[in-house]
Amino acid sequence: MNRDTSQTQSSASASATVAFIDLAGFSAIADVYGDAAAIDVLEIFESMVREALSGYGPPIKWIGDEAMLSFSEPEVAIPALGALLQACRKEPRLPLTRAALNHGPVVRRAGDLFGSTVNVASRIAALASPGQLLTTQPVADAAAARGILVRDLGKVALRSVAGEVPLYEIELAPSPDPAWIDPVCKMHAPYTSYRRAVPQGPWFCSPLCEEAYRKSPQTYPLAR
């Protein structure tokens, strides 16, 4: 019993930079275009994640369309995630991504990671807007040291996390223009196949997204 406890404490003393990244419009793609289309998009995303992580190790796990990644430190995570985010922005078949990075102590168990560092990364990923990467201070400091644009967003309260957490946005890929984000599938214009049927209002990637929005605009809030 004492030996097992000692092993757990030893693993808890390790540190890691934990990332979460998902596709902002994945659920809407499944709803509007069907499960087969959503799986096609997911397979493209999975392939791009594998390619970007070659040499870094595979994702810790997948949770639906969300990948959980781990790196030894922010200086390693930043270029790896930057390459992935830039590749995703250039891929016209993918909606915008949402991502988060946090660095701190973790518990390693059976190939998975646990602890407050993981919880905070997951919580701030859920706050990210389409095309946005949110981070905590250790990662923001490492990004600033590399000359990467960092925006201080102030402190936020996170569910099941004691105290408020300073939050930052870092720009590892071109920032999207909210006016050009399809509110349904979160694709980013310019679109090659479709503009919009009316002269005013949001832009859409297809008639199906426009129809879905017109039927239920409250379901798809516009990006800001």
Side-chain angles (χ1 to χ4, degrees):
M1 180 67 177
N2 289 338
R3 181 170 61 85
D4 292 341
T5 301
S6 175
Q7 289 175 345
T8 300
Q9 290 173 343
S10 175
S11 64
S13 66
S15 62
T17 302
V18 179
F20 284 90
I21 177 171
D22 72 358
L23 299 174
F26 183 75
S27 295
I29 290 172
D31 291 340
V32 175
Y33 296 91
D35 292 339
I39 293 302
D40 288 343
V41 169
L42 180 58
E43 289 178 347
I44 295 169
F45 182 47
E46 289 174 339
S47 176
M48 297 181 72
V49 170
R50 287 194 300 269
E51 182 175 349
L53 292 182
S54 60
Y56 294 98
I60 297 298
K61 61 184 174 184
W62 284 90
I63 311 164
D65 68 307
E66 183 177 58
M68 176 182 170
L69 317 175
S70 175
F71 305 91
S72 59
E73 55 189 357
E75 289 78 8
V76 176
I78 288 170
L81 195 61
L84 174 58
L85 293 177
Q86 291 177 37
C88 289
R89 281 287 273 119
K90 293 177 182 177
E91 175 50 69
R93 294 171 293 178
L94 290 185
L96 292 168
T97 58
R98 302 180 303 172
L101 279 167
N102 185 30
H103 181 82
V106 294
V107 176
R108 301 181 183 274
R109 181 175 183 272
D112 205 347
L113 297 181
F114 300 87
S116 177
T117 297
V118 176
N119 294 340
V120 169
S122 177
R123 298 289 187 268
I124 65 175
L127 298 178
S129 300
Q132 191 175 40
L133 168 59
L134 299 180
T135 72
T136 53
Q137 187 164 356
V139 182
D141 289 345
R146 297 173 67 95
I148 296 170
L149 179 63
V150 176
R151 298 184 183 90
D152 187 343
L153 303 180
K155 294 183 177 181
V156 298
L158 302 175
R159 181 171 58 87
S160 302
V161 176
E164 293 186 325
V165 176
L167 197 61
Y168 302 84
E169 178 183 7
I170 64 175
E171 190 172 299
L172 297 185
S175 294
D177 182 346
W180 288 83
I181 300 175
D182 185 314
V184 178
C185 69
K186 304 302 186 288
M187 294 285 187
H188 190 272
Y191 312 116
T192 58
S193 59
Y194 188 68
R195 294 302 189 205
R196 60 185 171 191
V198 296
Q200 295 182 343
W203 291 78
F204 302 93
C205 73
S206 74
L208 287 177
C209 276
E210 181 162 24
E211 181 183 4
Y213 180 80
R214 300 301 178 200
K215 287 181 177 179
S216 181
Q218 70 276 9
T219 303
Y220 309 106
L222 299 178
R224 297 180 178 180

